[in-house]
Amino acid sequence: MRSPLHSDKYQLFLEELNTLRADAGLSQMALAARMQIGQDVVSRCEAGRRRVDVFELALWTHACGTTLEAFVKKLDERIQRHQLPSLL
């Protein structure tokens, strides 16, 4: 069975996570400072070498100036564009 870290949906999640930070105009270092974590954690998360839990995702979205709900909606739209089953 394929690892959830390498699923098609998780790859789309990582793309959306990277887009969120970039659209907020933040470097990995700036995001890490806002979240009070190390830049290496942001890097590993964005590269898919470390999973992001829901609490971290809520902090991540807030640090980027949006909400968890808005992020999930955008992610779901991205997933549907790739013709994968919807999250919602």
Side-chain angles (χ1 to χ4, degrees):
M1 182 174 193
R2 190 172 172 187
S3 165
L5 275 174
H6 300 102
S7 73
D8 293 337
K9 283 185 180 179
Y10 199 75
Q11 292 308 310
L12 295 173
F13 168 78
L14 295 176
E15 290 174 16
E16 194 62 40
L17 203 59
N18 279 277
T19 298
L20 175 64
R21 180 182 55 77
D23 287 352
L26 297 172
S27 65
Q28 287 184 345
M29 187 69 80
L31 176 60
R34 286 185 181 193
M35 293 178 67
Q36 299 181 340
I37 59 175
Q39 178 273 330
D40 62 311
V41 175
V42 173
S43 177
R44 284 184 282 141
C45 290
E46 288 187 346
R49 293 189 312 271
R50 181 182 181 282
R51 281 199 74 86
V52 179
D53 72 31
V54 68
F55 301 106
E56 291 170 321
L57 182 57
L59 288 172
W60 194 300
T61 58
H62 180 74
C64 290
T66 190
T67 64
L68 182 57
E69 295 84 2
F71 176 84
V72 170
K73 184 176 180 188
K74 284 187 174 186
L75 174 59
D76 192 52
E77 290 167 358
R78 184 182 292 256
I79 287 170
Q80 289 181 39
R81 282 195 307 272
H82 285 82
Q83 300 179 346
L84 294 169
S86 175
L87 292 174
L88 307 175

